[in-house]
Short mmCIF file of all heavy atoms in Angstrom, two decimals:
data_model
loop_
_atom_site.label_atom_id
_atom_site.label_comp_id
_atom_site.label_asym_id
_atom_site.label_seq_id
_atom_site.Cartn_x
_atom_site.Cartn_y
_atom_site.Cartn_z
N ILE A 16 23.45 -46.56 -22.24
CA ILE A 16 22.57 -46.88 -23.39
C ILE A 16 23.07 -48.16 -24.02
O ILE A 16 24.14 -48.21 -24.63
CB ILE A 16 22.58 -45.73 -24.40
CG1 ILE A 16 22.25 -44.41 -23.69
CG2 ILE A 16 21.57 -46.00 -25.52
CD1 ILE A 16 22.43 -43.19 -24.54
N GLY A 17 22.32 -49.23 -23.83
CA GLY A 17 22.68 -50.54 -24.36
C GLY A 17 22.93 -51.53 -23.24
O GLY A 17 23.78 -51.27 -22.36
N GLY A 18 22.20 -52.64 -23.28
CA GLY A 18 22.38 -53.67 -22.23
C GLY A 18 23.01 -54.91 -22.79
O GLY A 18 22.78 -56.01 -22.31
N GLY A 19 23.86 -54.76 -23.84
CA GLY A 19 24.66 -55.88 -24.34
C GLY A 19 25.82 -56.07 -23.40
O GLY A 19 25.86 -55.52 -22.28
N PRO A 20 26.84 -56.86 -23.83
CA PRO A 20 27.98 -57.11 -22.93
C PRO A 20 28.67 -55.84 -22.43
O PRO A 20 28.96 -55.73 -21.23
CB PRO A 20 28.95 -57.94 -23.79
CG PRO A 20 28.12 -58.47 -24.88
CD PRO A 20 26.94 -57.58 -25.09
N ALA A 21 28.89 -54.87 -23.33
CA ALA A 21 29.62 -53.66 -22.91
C ALA A 21 28.85 -52.94 -21.80
O ALA A 21 29.43 -52.56 -20.77
CB ALA A 21 29.84 -52.73 -24.10
N GLY A 22 27.54 -52.77 -21.98
CA GLY A 22 26.72 -52.05 -20.99
C GLY A 22 26.68 -52.78 -19.66
O GLY A 22 26.89 -52.17 -18.59
N PHE A 45 19.52 -48.70 -20.37
CA PHE A 45 18.40 -48.68 -21.32
C PHE A 45 18.67 -49.71 -22.42
O PHE A 45 19.79 -49.73 -22.96
CB PHE A 45 18.29 -47.31 -22.02
CG PHE A 45 17.95 -46.18 -21.10
CD1 PHE A 45 18.94 -45.53 -20.37
CD2 PHE A 45 16.62 -45.77 -20.97
CE1 PHE A 45 18.62 -44.49 -19.54
CE2 PHE A 45 16.31 -44.72 -20.12
CZ PHE A 45 17.30 -44.07 -19.40
N ASP A 46 17.71 -50.51 -22.74
CA ASP A 46 17.81 -51.37 -23.94
C ASP A 46 16.41 -51.72 -24.40
O ASP A 46 15.54 -51.98 -23.57
CB ASP A 46 18.64 -52.63 -23.67
CG ASP A 46 19.21 -53.22 -24.96
OD1 ASP A 46 18.43 -53.48 -25.90
OD2 ASP A 46 20.44 -53.38 -25.02
N ASN A 47 16.20 -51.70 -25.68
CA ASN A 47 14.86 -51.99 -26.20
C ASN A 47 14.67 -53.46 -26.54
O ASN A 47 13.60 -53.87 -26.95
CB ASN A 47 14.57 -51.13 -27.43
CG ASN A 47 15.65 -51.22 -28.44
OD1 ASN A 47 16.82 -50.97 -28.13
ND2 ASN A 47 15.33 -51.63 -29.65
N LYS A 48 15.74 -54.27 -26.40
CA LYS A 48 15.60 -55.69 -26.74
C LYS A 48 15.16 -56.53 -25.53
O LYS A 48 15.52 -56.20 -24.40
CB LYS A 48 16.95 -56.25 -27.22
CG LYS A 48 17.19 -55.97 -28.67
CD LYS A 48 18.39 -56.72 -29.21
CE LYS A 48 18.47 -56.43 -30.71
NZ LYS A 48 19.69 -56.86 -31.31
N PHE A 50 16.14 -60.05 -24.45
CA PHE A 50 17.11 -61.07 -24.86
C PHE A 50 16.55 -62.49 -24.79
O PHE A 50 17.22 -63.44 -25.16
CB PHE A 50 18.38 -60.96 -24.03
CG PHE A 50 19.09 -59.65 -24.21
CD1 PHE A 50 19.35 -58.84 -23.13
CD2 PHE A 50 19.47 -59.23 -25.46
CE1 PHE A 50 19.99 -57.62 -23.28
CE2 PHE A 50 20.10 -58.01 -25.64
CZ PHE A 50 20.36 -57.21 -24.56
N ASN A 59 21.99 -60.29 -29.92
CA ASN A 59 23.00 -59.34 -30.37
C ASN A 59 23.94 -59.95 -31.40
O ASN A 59 25.10 -59.56 -31.54
CB ASN A 59 23.71 -58.70 -29.19
CG ASN A 59 22.91 -57.53 -28.66
OD1 ASN A 59 22.23 -56.85 -29.42
ND2 ASN A 59 22.96 -57.30 -27.36
N MET A 60 23.44 -60.94 -32.11
CA MET A 60 23.95 -61.45 -33.37
C MET A 60 25.46 -61.68 -33.46
O MET A 60 26.18 -60.90 -34.06
CB MET A 60 23.50 -60.48 -34.49
CG MET A 60 22.03 -60.29 -34.53
SD MET A 60 21.46 -59.14 -35.77
CE MET A 60 22.09 -57.59 -35.19
N CYS A 61 25.90 -62.76 -32.84
CA CYS A 61 27.32 -63.12 -33.02
C CYS A 61 27.45 -64.63 -32.98
O CYS A 61 26.47 -65.33 -32.72
CB CYS A 61 28.21 -62.38 -32.03
SG CYS A 61 28.67 -63.25 -30.54
N ALA A 62 28.66 -65.15 -33.24
CA ALA A 62 28.86 -66.59 -33.26
C ALA A 62 28.75 -67.19 -31.85
O ALA A 62 28.55 -68.37 -31.68
CB ALA A 62 30.21 -66.92 -33.87
N GLY A 63 28.92 -66.32 -30.85
CA GLY A 63 28.73 -66.77 -29.47
C GLY A 63 29.83 -67.67 -28.95
O GLY A 63 29.56 -68.59 -28.18
N VAL A 64 31.07 -67.41 -29.35
CA VAL A 64 32.18 -68.20 -28.83
C VAL A 64 32.85 -67.43 -27.69
O VAL A 64 33.26 -66.28 -27.86
CB VAL A 64 33.21 -68.53 -29.94
CG1 VAL A 64 34.34 -69.38 -29.38
CG2 VAL A 64 32.53 -69.23 -31.09
N ARG A 116 23.41 -65.57 -27.78
CA ARG A 116 23.34 -64.21 -27.20
C ARG A 116 21.90 -63.85 -26.83
O ARG A 116 21.66 -63.06 -25.94
CB ARG A 116 23.89 -63.21 -28.22
CG ARG A 116 25.33 -63.44 -28.66
CD ARG A 116 26.31 -63.01 -27.60
NE ARG A 116 26.13 -61.62 -27.23
CZ ARG A 116 26.69 -60.59 -27.86
NH1 ARG A 116 27.48 -60.81 -28.88
NH2 ARG A 116 26.48 -59.36 -27.45
N GLU A 151 13.60 -49.59 -22.88
CA GLU A 151 13.25 -48.47 -23.78
C GLU A 151 14.37 -48.21 -24.77
O GLU A 151 15.54 -48.41 -24.45
CB GLU A 151 13.01 -47.21 -22.95
CG GLU A 151 11.63 -47.18 -22.35
CD GLU A 151 11.42 -45.96 -21.47
OE1 GLU A 151 11.73 -46.04 -20.29
OE2 GLU A 151 10.96 -44.94 -22.00
N ARG A 152 13.96 -47.71 -25.93
CA ARG A 152 14.96 -47.31 -26.93
C ARG A 152 15.29 -45.84 -26.72
O ARG A 152 14.39 -45.00 -26.60
CB ARG A 152 14.38 -47.48 -28.34
CG ARG A 152 15.34 -47.06 -29.45
CD ARG A 152 14.61 -46.93 -30.77
NE ARG A 152 14.12 -48.22 -31.24
CZ ARG A 152 14.89 -49.10 -31.88
NH1 ARG A 152 16.13 -48.81 -32.16
NH2 ARG A 152 14.41 -50.25 -32.27
N VAL A 153 16.57 -45.52 -26.69
CA VAL A 153 16.98 -44.13 -26.56
C VAL A 153 17.01 -43.51 -27.94
O VAL A 153 17.61 -44.07 -28.86
CB VAL A 153 18.38 -44.04 -25.87
CG1 VAL A 153 18.91 -42.62 -25.92
CG2 VAL A 153 18.29 -44.56 -24.44
N ALA A 187 26.82 -47.66 -24.93
CA ALA A 187 27.22 -49.08 -25.10
C ALA A 187 26.27 -49.69 -26.12
O ALA A 187 25.81 -50.80 -25.95
CB ALA A 187 27.14 -49.81 -23.77
N PHE A 188 26.00 -48.93 -27.19
CA PHE A 188 24.93 -49.31 -28.11
C PHE A 188 25.40 -50.12 -29.30
O PHE A 188 24.60 -50.44 -30.19
CB PHE A 188 24.18 -48.07 -28.59
CG PHE A 188 25.04 -46.83 -28.70
CD1 PHE A 188 26.09 -46.79 -29.59
CD2 PHE A 188 24.79 -45.71 -27.90
CE1 PHE A 188 26.88 -45.66 -29.70
CE2 PHE A 188 25.59 -44.59 -27.99
CZ PHE A 188 26.64 -44.55 -28.89
N GLY A 189 26.66 -50.52 -29.34
CA GLY A 189 27.15 -51.36 -30.44
C GLY A 189 27.12 -50.63 -31.77
O GLY A 189 27.02 -49.38 -31.82
N ASN A 191 25.09 -51.78 -34.46
CA ASN A 191 23.91 -52.13 -35.25
C ASN A 191 22.74 -51.18 -34.94
O ASN A 191 21.61 -51.59 -34.81
CB ASN A 191 23.49 -53.58 -34.95
CG ASN A 191 24.54 -54.56 -35.41
OD1 ASN A 191 24.85 -54.66 -36.57
ND2 ASN A 191 25.13 -55.30 -34.46
N THR A 192 23.05 -49.91 -34.75
CA THR A 192 22.00 -48.96 -34.36
C THR A 192 22.22 -47.62 -35.09
O THR A 192 23.38 -47.24 -35.34
CB THR A 192 22.02 -48.73 -32.83
OG1 THR A 192 21.19 -47.62 -32.51
CG2 THR A 192 23.41 -48.43 -32.29
N LEU A 194 21.75 -44.84 -33.76
CA LEU A 194 22.22 -43.84 -32.78
C LEU A 194 23.67 -43.45 -33.03
O LEU A 194 24.06 -42.32 -32.74
CB LEU A 194 22.04 -44.42 -31.37
CG LEU A 194 21.90 -43.43 -30.23
CD1 LEU A 194 20.74 -42.47 -30.44
CD2 LEU A 194 21.73 -44.16 -28.89
N ALA A 210 28.52 -58.74 -42.10
CA ALA A 210 28.70 -60.20 -42.09
C ALA A 210 27.34 -60.88 -42.23
O ALA A 210 26.31 -60.19 -42.31
CB ALA A 210 29.34 -60.61 -40.78
N GLN A 212 25.07 -64.39 -40.82
CA GLN A 212 25.01 -65.56 -39.94
C GLN A 212 23.72 -66.30 -40.16
O GLN A 212 22.68 -65.69 -40.42
CB GLN A 212 25.07 -65.13 -38.49
CG GLN A 212 26.45 -64.72 -38.06
CD GLN A 212 26.63 -64.88 -36.57
OE1 GLN A 212 27.66 -65.31 -36.14
NE2 GLN A 212 25.63 -64.55 -35.81
N THR A 255 28.75 -68.79 -39.65
CA THR A 255 29.11 -67.37 -39.70
C THR A 255 29.98 -67.13 -40.94
O THR A 255 30.98 -67.84 -41.12
CB THR A 255 29.93 -66.98 -38.45
OG1 THR A 255 29.19 -67.37 -37.29
CG2 THR A 255 30.23 -65.50 -38.39
N ILE A 257 32.27 -64.31 -42.74
CA ILE A 257 32.90 -63.00 -42.55
C ILE A 257 33.38 -62.46 -43.89
O ILE A 257 34.10 -63.14 -44.62
CB ILE A 257 34.09 -63.12 -41.56
CG1 ILE A 257 33.64 -63.67 -40.19
CG2 ILE A 257 34.82 -61.80 -41.41
CD1 ILE A 257 32.75 -62.75 -39.38
N PRO A 291 24.72 -59.06 -39.07
CA PRO A 291 25.33 -58.16 -38.09
C PRO A 291 26.50 -57.39 -38.69
O PRO A 291 27.13 -57.84 -39.63
CB PRO A 291 25.83 -59.10 -36.99
CG PRO A 291 26.04 -60.40 -37.68
CD PRO A 291 25.08 -60.48 -38.83
N ARG A 292 26.76 -56.23 -38.10
CA ARG A 292 27.90 -55.42 -38.57
C ARG A 292 29.11 -55.72 -37.71
O ARG A 292 28.99 -55.90 -36.49
CB ARG A 292 27.57 -53.95 -38.52
CG ARG A 292 26.44 -53.65 -39.47
CD ARG A 292 26.39 -52.18 -39.82
NE ARG A 292 25.36 -51.98 -40.81
CZ ARG A 292 24.12 -51.63 -40.51
NH1 ARG A 292 23.79 -51.40 -39.28
NH2 ARG A 292 23.24 -51.48 -41.46
N LEU A 293 30.26 -55.71 -38.38
CA LEU A 293 31.51 -56.04 -37.69
C LEU A 293 32.42 -54.82 -37.81
O LEU A 293 32.78 -54.43 -38.91
CB LEU A 293 32.13 -57.25 -38.39
CG LEU A 293 33.39 -57.87 -37.82
CD1 LEU A 293 33.07 -58.57 -36.52
CD2 LEU A 293 33.96 -58.89 -38.80
N ILE A 309 31.67 -47.01 -25.36
CA ILE A 309 32.45 -48.22 -25.09
C ILE A 309 32.00 -49.37 -26.01
O ILE A 309 31.04 -49.22 -26.76
CB ILE A 309 32.33 -48.65 -23.60
CG1 ILE A 309 30.85 -48.96 -23.24
CG2 ILE A 309 32.87 -47.59 -22.68
CD1 ILE A 309 30.67 -49.57 -21.84
N GLY A 310 32.68 -50.51 -25.91
CA GLY A 310 32.28 -51.72 -26.67
C GLY A 310 32.55 -51.53 -28.16
O GLY A 310 33.40 -50.72 -28.58
N ASP A 311 31.79 -52.27 -28.97
CA ASP A 311 31.98 -52.25 -30.43
C ASP A 311 31.95 -50.86 -31.04
O ASP A 311 32.59 -50.60 -32.04
CB ASP A 311 30.85 -53.06 -31.09
CG ASP A 311 31.26 -54.49 -31.38
OD1 ASP A 311 32.27 -54.92 -30.82
OD2 ASP A 311 30.58 -55.16 -32.17
N ASN A 320 37.31 -61.82 -30.59
CA ASN A 320 37.10 -61.51 -29.16
C ASN A 320 36.38 -60.18 -28.91
O ASN A 320 36.76 -59.43 -28.00
CB ASN A 320 38.43 -61.47 -28.39
CG ASN A 320 39.32 -62.64 -28.69
OD1 ASN A 320 39.75 -62.78 -29.83
ND2 ASN A 320 39.58 -63.47 -27.71
N GLY A 321 35.31 -59.92 -29.66
CA GLY A 321 34.59 -58.66 -29.46
C GLY A 321 34.05 -58.51 -28.06
O GLY A 321 34.06 -57.41 -27.49
N ILE A 322 33.60 -59.62 -27.48
CA ILE A 322 32.98 -59.52 -26.14
C ILE A 322 34.07 -59.18 -25.10
O ILE A 322 33.85 -58.38 -24.19
CB ILE A 322 32.21 -60.81 -25.80
CG1 ILE A 322 31.13 -61.05 -26.85
CG2 ILE A 322 31.60 -60.73 -24.40
CD1 ILE A 322 30.35 -62.37 -26.70
N GLU A 323 35.23 -59.78 -25.29
CA GLU A 323 36.33 -59.48 -24.36
C GLU A 323 36.80 -58.03 -24.52
O GLU A 323 37.12 -57.36 -23.55
CB GLU A 323 37.47 -60.47 -24.57
CG GLU A 323 38.48 -60.43 -23.44
CD GLU A 323 39.55 -61.49 -23.57
OE1 GLU A 323 39.39 -62.42 -24.37
OE2 GLU A 323 40.56 -61.35 -22.88
N ALA A 325 34.89 -55.63 -25.30
CA ALA A 325 33.87 -54.84 -24.60
C ALA A 325 34.18 -54.78 -23.10
O ALA A 325 34.00 -53.74 -22.45
CB ALA A 325 32.49 -55.45 -24.84
C1 LIG B 501 29.37 -62.21 -37.37
C2 LIG B 501 29.92 -61.87 -36.00
C3 LIG B 501 30.36 -62.91 -35.18
C4 LIG B 501 30.91 -62.61 -33.92
N1 LIG B 501 31.32 -63.62 -33.12
C5 LIG B 501 31.85 -63.35 -31.91
C6 LIG B 501 32.28 -64.40 -31.05
O1 LIG B 501 32.13 -65.58 -31.36
N2 LIG B 501 32.84 -64.07 -29.86
C7 LIG B 501 33.00 -62.76 -29.46
O2 LIG B 501 33.56 -62.49 -28.40
N3 LIG B 501 32.58 -61.74 -30.26
C8 LIG B 501 32.01 -62.00 -31.45
N4 LIG B 501 31.54 -60.98 -32.24
C9 LIG B 501 31.65 -59.60 -31.73
C10 LIG B 501 30.54 -59.31 -30.68
O3 LIG B 501 29.27 -59.59 -31.20
C11 LIG B 501 30.59 -57.83 -30.26
O4 LIG B 501 31.91 -57.46 -30.07
C12 LIG B 501 29.80 -57.57 -28.98
O5 LIG B 501 28.46 -57.91 -29.14
C13 LIG B 501 29.93 -56.07 -28.63
O6 LIG B 501 29.16 -55.82 -27.50
P1 LIG B 501 28.48 -54.38 -27.32
O7 LIG B 501 27.78 -54.44 -26.01
O8 LIG B 501 29.46 -53.31 -27.58
O9 LIG B 501 27.40 -54.25 -28.49
P2 LIG B 501 26.11 -55.12 -28.78
O10 LIG B 501 26.32 -56.52 -28.40
O11 LIG B 501 25.73 -54.82 -30.19
O12 LIG B 501 25.02 -54.51 -27.79
C14 LIG B 501 24.47 -53.25 -27.98
C15 LIG B 501 23.16 -53.15 -27.24
O13 LIG B 501 22.68 -51.81 -27.31
C16 LIG B 501 21.29 -51.82 -27.56
N5 LIG B 501 20.94 -50.57 -28.22
C17 LIG B 501 21.35 -50.13 -29.43
N6 LIG B 501 20.81 -48.94 -29.70
C18 LIG B 501 20.04 -48.62 -28.62
C19 LIG B 501 19.20 -47.51 -28.32
N7 LIG B 501 19.07 -46.49 -29.16
N8 LIG B 501 18.53 -47.51 -27.14
C20 LIG B 501 18.66 -48.54 -26.26
N9 LIG B 501 19.44 -49.61 -26.52
C21 LIG B 501 20.11 -49.67 -27.68
C22 LIG B 501 21.09 -53.04 -28.44
O14 LIG B 501 19.73 -53.49 -28.38
C23 LIG B 501 22.08 -54.03 -27.86
O15 LIG B 501 21.49 -54.84 -26.87
C24 LIG B 501 30.99 -61.26 -33.50
C25 LIG B 501 30.54 -60.22 -34.33
C26 LIG B 501 30.01 -60.53 -35.56
C27 LIG B 501 29.51 -59.42 -36.44
#
Side-chain angles (χ1 to χ4, degrees):
I16 307 170
F45 295 84
D46 203 305
N47 51 304
K48 276 191 177 169
F50 298 123
N59 277 328
M60 304 178 292
C61 96
V64 181
R116 300 285 303 275
E151 278 177 271
R152 179 193 294 278
V153 171
F188 33 63
N191 295 299
T192 169
L194 205 56
Q212 284 205 140
T255 307
I257 301 292
R292 296 200 176 95
L293 185 70
I309 61 172
D311 263 16
N320 313 65
I322 301 176
E323 194 174 344

